[in-house]
Amino acid sequence: MPTDLRSALTLERPGARMGADRVALLAAIGRTGSISAAAR
């Protein structure tokens, strides 16, 4: 069985998209408590 299995999820609707990049940013905001710190 492969140990390097990966997956991805993208949520879309007209005019909006939420993929791994946005999820990572939201997680970083949660960790740092700051949008500016998360962006860095």
Side-chain angles (χ1 to χ4, degrees):
M1 182 175 265
T3 60
D4 59 346
L5 183 63
R6 296 181 65 166
S7 66
L9 173 68
T10 300
L11 304 174
E12 295 185 28
R13 67 175 188 170
R17 177 179 176 267
M18 185 167 176
D21 53 344
R22 296 234 175 123
V23 172
L25 178 60
L26 291 173
I29 292 169
R31 278 193 314 276
T32 65
S34 163
I35 294 172
S36 298
R40 279 186 241 125

